[in-house]
Amino acid sequence: MLLGLGLERERNETQEISFYAKRIEAFERGERPNSTDELAARRVWNLSGDGEFLSDREREFYEIVFAAREKEEKEIPLPTRDWSDKINLDVAAEIVDKLYQNLPAWEPKKDHFRGRKFELKDWDKMSETSRKEYGKRIAALDKEIQEERYTDTDILCMLLATAHQKSRSSFYLERATIQRWAKMNGREELQKLVNSLHEYAKIKKKFGERPVFTSKKTKERQRTEISSQTVAALMKELPNTKNQQFVPYVLLISGARLSELPSVKIFTNSDGSVALKIDTVKLGCARKNAPNSRRIEFEAESIEARQLTAITERCGRQPFEKMNCATFRSNFRAAKKRLEGTFPEIKQLDIHSFRHAFATEQRGHIEQKYQKKHGEDWRTNEKLATAARDELAKLLGHSDKKITGRYGHKPVKKFAI
């Protein structure tokens, strides 16, 4: 099945001629080609051999549709990056045509998962890292659009192909990038079209598929077991400058984000216990009036307390104060590459994996505590289940507690240095 409007490559020439003749007559009356026409012409080009169309009407139809782009009567090749092989054209045409026919006024709509409205965050309110990341993505998108001469239909199909093939997070990142590009280039109609698309889960349902909320690679990184041997090997491979060799261990026992490490302070309490104080750097926490810092406590004489005390004696109370996060990322990648032959699992490991490992261990402690206090079926009590999740959210510094559900799904191995 190709497109629903008579485009099946059947031997019945009458049906083919009827479709193309009807559309060509509409063009002669002044009607502009719609998204279904663009997708149909794209398929015609794919099924032809180097421009050898099966009928004169096909060639005329193709040339009319793509000449409309440049307003000149000559053959215009399709973009080299062709989306028609990646999506079901029947479904794509149906979705895009409805957008063009029922274009609503601009109105931010809710994200089906987090309950948030889809609005572009003000550029000035974004972190420097996010601005750099979006800047790179927008520049790459702009280059592709200019070189390939994408129409709004092409861009919508590109976004549908992302939803069709990839996870929800990839779709939302692509959608936000397109929206930012459209806003910067004054493409208000494209902004409305993109914003009017169905939510990710509904698009997947249209294509007859189940939504993928997390990519396979992301799940692998999140659930990779971190052995004591792997951590020790990483610490040996990392440079001693600015105490970088201690970063993997502190990340694992604190659950800190890498960007929060320079703020980490080590305190020894009067009872001999040790605490880590971490300042939260996520801007969302500040906007929601969430606590801007958190403490991770370790009992006196515990392995963690002894090791943190040793780090304090050697490096001071704030060991990573002068560390550059970008430099550490580079050193971490280099150390991983050198260790891949000895530790195959390290290929799936990234810096954020330490945060997931911390969450897994803490979740286990919290669940054991609730089970001991409230019995085996404590999870059936909604208040207790919410309280347990809130405890983990507090340790992770989450302002949106729904995100906490992504953390802590596989046991992590204990280790000592």
Side-chain angles (χ1 to χ4, degrees), residues 112-177:
H112 75 284
F113 178 67
R114 300 185 189 176
R116 298 174 178 171
K117 288 185 177 180
F118 175 63
E119 296 175 294
L120 291 178
K121 188 186 296 183
D122 290 341
W123 189 263
D124 296 336
K125 293 183 180 179
M126 295 172 67
S127 67
E128 184 178 353
T129 303
S130 296
R131 284 198 296 268
K132 285 182 179 178
E133 180 65 26
Y134 270 115
K136 291 178 183 178
R137 294 183 63 83
I138 290 169
L141 177 66
D142 182 70
K143 182 179 179 181
E144 183 177 357
I145 289 173
Q146 299 303 325
E147 288 181 353
E148 305 292 355
R149 294 185 292 187
Y150 283 162
T151 63
D152 287 356
T153 301
D154 287 314
I155 295 171
L156 290 170
C157 286
M158 176 174 66
L159 190 53
L160 290 173
T162 300
H164 181 49
Q165 292 186 305
K166 298 186 179 180
S167 65
R168 177 190 58 201
S169 57
S170 298
F171 169 72
Y172 283 139
L173 179 58
E174 185 82 7
R175 182 173 73 170
T177 303

Side-chain angles (χ1 to χ4, degrees), residues 218-281:
T218 300
K219 282 185 177 179
E220 288 176 352
R221 290 196 300 269
Q222 290 176 355
R223 303 187 182 187
T224 298
E225 286 189 316
I226 304 176
S227 67
S228 58
Q229 293 82 4
T230 300
V231 174
L234 278 170
M235 291 175 67
K236 289 179 181 178
E237 286 291 332
L238 288 165
N240 294 330
T241 53
K242 298 180 181 177
N243 308 317
Q244 293 183 63
Q245 75 273 29
F246 297 117
V247 169
Y249 179 69
V250 174
L251 286 176
L252 187 58
I253 66 170
S254 68
R257 304 174 180 93
L258 180 63
S259 56
E260 295 171 338
L261 268 191
S263 73
V264 168
K265 294 180 182 178
I266 305 172
F267 296 94
T268 303
N269 301 319
S270 57
D271 61 355
S273 62
V274 176
L276 285 176
K277 180 177 178 293
I278 305 168
D279 292 338
T280 302
V281 298

Side-chain angles (χ1 to χ4, degrees), residues 233-239 244 325-341 346-347 349-351:
L234 278 170
M235 291 175 67
K236 289 179 181 178
E237 286 291 332
L238 288 165
Q244 293 183 63
C325 294
T327 301
F328 177 79
R329 287 185 184 279
S330 178
N331 292 334
F332 182 82
R333 286 194 295 268
K336 266 182 59 177
K337 193 170 184 180
R338 291 192 293 269
L339 292 171
E340 282 179 359
I346 209 168
K347 292 181 181 180
L349 186 69
D350 65 9
I351 294 173

Side-chain angles (χ1 to χ4, degrees), residues 295-313:
R295 291 173 70 93
I296 311 296
E297 301 281 348
F298 303 98
E299 295 179 357
E301 300 304 320
S302 65
I303 295 174
E304 293 86 355
R306 293 201 303 269
Q307 290 168 345
L308 287 172
T309 300
I311 292 174
T312 305
E313 292 173 354

